[in-house]
Amino acid sequence: GEDVEQSLFLSVREGDSSVINCTYTDSSSTYLYWYKQEPGAGLQLLTYIFSNMDMKQDQRLTVLLNKKDKHLSLRIADTQTGDSAIYFCATNYGATNKLIFGTGTLLAVQP
Amino acid sequence: DSGVTQTPKHLITATGQRVTLRCSPRSGDLSVYWYQQSLDQGLQFLIQYYNGEERAKGNILERFSAQQFPDLHSELNLSSLELGDSALYFCASSAANYGYTFGSGTRLTVV
């Protein structure tokens, strides 16, 4: 079945770059997403990438996709304390566009 | 405000009871998705509706049911509640493949 995996925790210093990694199993996924969840809040769509792209940049965010290895990453440049949150990657699955989410990576930014 | 409205925000109820969670999707979105988020299970897909019809079913218990009404709002009914049903329940809506828009969730506590 479909599966999406992420590391559970990442700690960085303010101003450094953060790289959050994700692997998935469903090679038929056409869209891959990154969501951010702050404490007590819902999930906020950060960015997405089509499966025929290798990279997408959006201000401080860079998404890299390695389709061969089924590996997705999110790089946050100049990480700020406000970036502290849980980051989820997700892939769409099947004709109904159901999203399968990873376990989430807790990003802790140290001042 | 994401445009997806969930009510109530918090719900405390006793085991064995039945509750109804409500979701109003973003204007124009025909698809509604329900997810359960708990510490041990992560984000689990429950069910999807599209324009009033069930499109996909995930790990939804038989004690749970949902529907989408002609005005596109959706309700998730949880019955014979158990302690293990305590979780955050999210509704999301989408118009196409550009990701979901999530509501802020309903926190259910079963005591």
Side-chain angles (χ1 to χ4, degrees), chain B residues 6-8 11 19-23 34 74-78 89 106 108:
Chain B
Q6 287 190 250
T7 56
L11 202 47
V19 297
T20 297
L21 312 183
R22 183 189 167 102
C23 169
W34 286 97
S74 178
E75 292 181 356
L76 179 67
N77 301 296
L78 315 176
Y89 290 84
T106 294
L108 173 67

Coordinates of all heavy atoms in Angstrom, one line a residue, chain B residues 6-8 11 19-23 34 74-78 89 106 108:
Chain B
Q6 N -14.9 24.7 10.6 CA -15.2 23.5 11.4 C -15.8 23.9 12.7 O -15.3 24.8 13.4 CB -14.0 22.6 11.6 CG -13.5 21.9 10.4 CD -12.5 20.9 10.8 OE1 -11.3 21.0 10.4 NE2 -12.9 19.8 11.4
T7 N -16.9 23.2 13.1 CA -17.5 23.5 14.4 C -17.9 22.1 15.0 O -18.2 21.2 14.3 CB -18.8 24.4 14.3 OG1 -19.7 23.7 13.4 CG2 -18.4 25.8 13.8
P8 N -17.9 22.0 16.3 CA -17.3 23.0 17.2 C -15.8 22.9 17.3 O -15.2 22.0 16.7 CB -17.9 22.5 18.6 CG -18.0 21.1 18.4 CD -18.4 20.8 17.0
L11 N -14.8 19.6 21.9 CA -15.9 18.8 22.3 C -15.4 17.9 23.4 O -14.4 17.2 23.2 CB -16.4 18.1 21.1 CG -17.8 17.5 21.0 CD1 -18.9 18.6 21.5 CD2 -18.1 17.1 19.6
V19 N -21.6 12.1 18.8 CA -21.4 13.5 18.5 C -21.4 13.7 16.9 O -21.2 12.7 16.2 CB -20.0 14.0 19.0 CG1 -20.0 13.9 20.5 CG2 -18.9 13.3 18.4
T20 N -21.6 14.9 16.6 CA -21.6 15.3 15.2 C -20.7 16.5 15.0 O -20.8 17.5 15.7 CB -23.0 15.7 14.7 OG1 -23.9 14.6 14.8 CG2 -23.0 16.2 13.2
L21 N -19.7 16.3 14.1 CA -18.8 17.4 13.7 C -19.2 17.9 12.4 O -19.6 17.2 11.5 CB -17.4 16.8 13.6 CG -16.9 15.9 14.8 CD1 -15.4 15.5 14.6 CD2 -17.1 16.6 16.1
R22 N -19.1 19.2 12.2 CA -19.6 19.9 11.0 C -18.5 20.6 10.3 O -17.5 21.1 10.9 CB -20.7 20.9 11.4 CG -21.3 21.6 10.2 CD -22.2 22.7 10.7 NE -22.6 23.6 9.6 CZ -23.8 23.5 9.0 NH1 -24.7 22.7 9.4 NH2 -24.0 24.3 7.9
C23 N -18.6 20.6 9.0 CA -17.5 21.2 8.2 C -18.2 22.0 7.0 O -19.0 21.4 6.3 CB -16.6 20.2 7.6 SG -15.5 20.8 6.3
W34 N -12.2 14.1 5.3 CA -12.1 14.0 6.8 C -10.9 13.3 7.2 O -10.6 12.2 6.7 CB -13.3 13.4 7.4 CG -14.6 14.2 7.4 CD1 -15.6 14.2 6.5 CD2 -14.9 15.3 8.4 NE1 -16.5 15.2 6.8 CE2 -16.1 15.8 7.9 CE3 -14.3 15.8 9.5 CZ2 -16.8 16.8 8.7 CZ3 -14.9 16.8 10.2 CH2 -16.2 17.3 9.8
S74 N -20.5 19.3 5.2 CA -20.4 17.9 5.5 C -20.5 17.7 7.0 O -20.1 18.6 7.8 CB -19.1 17.3 5.0 OG -18.9 16.0 5.3
E75 N -20.9 16.5 7.4 CA -21.0 16.2 8.9 C -20.4 14.8 9.1 O -20.6 13.9 8.2 CB -22.4 16.2 9.4 CG -23.1 17.6 9.4 CD -24.5 17.6 9.9 OE1 -25.0 16.5 10.2 OE2 -25.0 18.7 10.1
L76 N -19.6 14.7 10.1 CA -19.0 13.5 10.5 C -19.6 13.0 11.8 O -19.6 13.8 12.8 CB -17.5 13.6 10.7 CG -16.7 12.4 11.1 CD1 -16.7 11.3 10.0 CD2 -15.3 12.7 11.5
N77 N -20.3 11.9 11.8 CA -21.0 11.4 13.0 C -20.2 10.3 13.7 O -19.8 9.3 13.0 CB -22.4 10.8 12.6 CG -23.2 11.9 11.9 OD1 -23.6 12.9 12.6 ND2 -23.5 11.7 10.7
L78 N -19.9 10.4 14.9 CA -19.1 9.5 15.7 C -20.0 8.9 16.8 O -20.5 9.7 17.6 CB -17.9 10.1 16.3 CG -17.1 11.1 15.4 CD1 -15.9 11.7 16.2 CD2 -16.5 10.3 14.2
Y89 N -10.0 16.1 14.8 CA -10.6 15.7 13.5 C -10.6 16.9 12.6 O -11.1 18.0 12.9 CB -12.0 15.3 13.8 CG -12.1 14.0 14.5 CD1 -11.9 13.9 15.9 CD2 -12.1 12.7 13.8 CE1 -11.9 12.7 16.6 CE2 -12.1 11.5 14.5 CZ -12.0 11.5 15.9 OH -12.0 10.3 16.5
T106 N -11.5 20.0 15.0 CA -12.3 19.9 16.2 C -11.5 18.9 17.1 O -11.2 17.8 16.7 CB -13.7 19.2 15.9 OG1 -14.4 20.1 15.1 CG2 -14.4 18.9 17.1
L108 N -11.7 16.5 19.9 CA -12.6 15.7 20.6 C -11.9 15.0 21.8 O -10.9 14.4 21.6 CB -13.2 14.6 19.7 CG -14.1 13.6 20.4 CD1 -15.4 14.2 20.9 CD2 -14.4 12.5 19.4

